[in-house]
Amino acid sequence: QVQLVESGGGLVQPGGSLRLSCAASGFTTSNYRMSWYRQAPGKERELVASISPAGDNADYVNSVKGRFTISRDNAKNTVYLQMNSLKPEDTAVYYCRRFPYWGQGTQVTVSS
């Protein structure tokens, strides 16, 4: 069975940092593109970042470009999202994605 388990969310002040992790099982991560999505209350779920199977190419939504970095460690079957200079508008549930599967989500709250 395919399983995606996110961790690392929490409460942080504006300007702070968090690193999210997605632990994958049931497949070999090096064969698949992996993505992070987020969904804030009352808003659509949006693609935040994605990374190529080998980890040599990444894409970001404009609102996080320069602040967030997606990476992967295929030997550990884990994908990361490093989030710096966090803003209140980054508050959302963050989901790990490997089509057609979703993780359960982890809450990120940016507030003073």
Side-chain angles (χ1 to χ4, degrees), residues 5 7 16-17 20-21 26 28 35 37 39 41 48-49 51 71-72 74 76 78 86-87 93 105 110-111:
V5 180
S7 62
S17 297
L20 307 183
S21 298
T28 301
S35 301
Y37 285 71
Q39 188 165 25
V48 177
I51 189 167
S71 62
R72 65 195 303 162
N74 287 332
K76 295 182 178 180
T78 302
L86 283 161
K87 304 175 180 179
V93 177
V110 184
S111 177

Side-chain angles (χ1 to χ4, degrees), residues 77-91:
N77 261 24
T78 302
V79 181
Y80 304 95
L81 185 67
Q82 179 67 47
M83 305 185 295
N84 298 326
S85 302
L86 283 161
K87 304 175 180 179
E89 51 263 44
D90 295 318
T91 296

Side-chain angles (χ1 to χ4, degrees), residues 25-56:
S25 60
F27 66 98
T28 301
T29 57
S30 61
N31 292 333
Y32 297 91
R33 187 172 189 87
M34 302 289 293
S35 301
W36 286 96
Y37 285 71
R38 68 184 180 187
Q39 188 165 25
K43 296 186 177 180
E44 301 175 350
R45 188 171 297 187
E46 68 171 344
L47 176 63
V48 177
S50 62
I51 189 167
S52 61
D56 58 347

